[in-house]
Amino acid sequence: WQGSDNHLWEAWYGPGGWAGPKDWNANLDASTEAPVGSAPSVVFTPGGTQQLIFWQGSNDDLWEAWYGASTTSGPADLSNRVPQVAGTPAVIVAGGGQYVVYRQPDGDVEDLVYTNGWSAPSDLSVAWRAPAGASAASTPALAVVNGSVVMLWQGADGDLWSTTIGGGAPVDLNAAN
């Protein structure tokens, strides 16, 4: 959760009961700007072997931290890979990859994929040649449907939009009904 100090905090439940809270920002040196600027998004890899956490920093950069093999890693600033983000990123693990989808300040939607290394970010709004109404007014939600990563979001026109990552142009679900 995002603490009142704008740090990333975690508590967890295990065989011994509740543990924590843990201040993830305590892993950073004082010169690093990772205070939390949005609610974090958390996902577990299949089998629960690794926990992945993504959030918008107070500097509008995309940040990641992860826990696996009894080791905490990060937070890492992904700003060298992505432009600034606007709001909480969405994350899902599917088909051997990590999919991170985020909204840019101009409303365009971008994705970043990790499979044996991070891909270059892809501006999905440009790739779709999306109509103006499809610009994201909210953080997209992700789900796996029949093995494909499906994204849903509220467009700038207030309608509900959907697409499959890597699968084509967005569809205005309000207009389709």
Side-chain angles (χ1 to χ4, degrees), residues 122-130:
S122 173
D123 187 331
L124 300 176
S125 301
V126 171
W128 299 324
R129 294 180 181 84

Side-chain angles (χ1 to χ4, degrees), residues 154-176:
Q154 179 185 9
D157 60 2
D159 287 357
L160 179 62
W161 289 80
S162 174
T163 192
T164 302
I165 302 283
V171 174
D172 181 341
L173 297 178
N174 291 61

Side-chain angles (χ1 to χ4, degrees), residues 8 10 22 24-25 27-28 41-43 50-55 62-68 71-78 98 118:
L8 179 66
E10 177 186 27
K22 174 184 173 55
W24 280 70
N25 290 72
N27 291 348
L28 298 171
S41 291
V42 180
V43 68
Q50 193 170 35
Q51 175 185 8
L52 310 169
I53 306 113
F54 293 85
W55 70 93
L62 178 64
W63 289 82
E64 177 191 20
W66 58 100
Y67 178 83
T71 303
T72 301
S73 300
D77 184 348
L78 300 179
Q98 300 171 26
W118 285 107

Side-chain angles (χ1 to χ4, degrees), residues 76-165:
D77 184 348
L78 300 179
S79 64
N80 63 332
R81 301 189 184 285
V82 301
Q84 292 187 323
V85 298
T88 302
V91 61
I92 197 166
V93 175
Q98 300 171 26
Y99 294 81
V100 181
V101 176
Y102 51 92
R103 195 168 49 95
Q104 295 179 345
D106 65 1
D108 279 5
V109 176
E110 287 205 350
D111 76 339
L112 189 64
V113 180
Y114 184 91
T115 50
N116 300 319
W118 285 107
S119 68
S122 173
D123 187 331
L124 300 176
S125 301
V126 171
W128 299 324
R129 294 180 181 84
S135 291
S138 66
T139 298
L142 299 173
V144 177
V145 178
N146 297 327
S148 297
V149 177
V150 175
M151 182 172 69
L152 298 157
W153 70 98
Q154 179 185 9
D157 60 2
D159 287 357
L160 179 62
W161 289 80
S162 174
T163 192
T164 302
I165 302 283

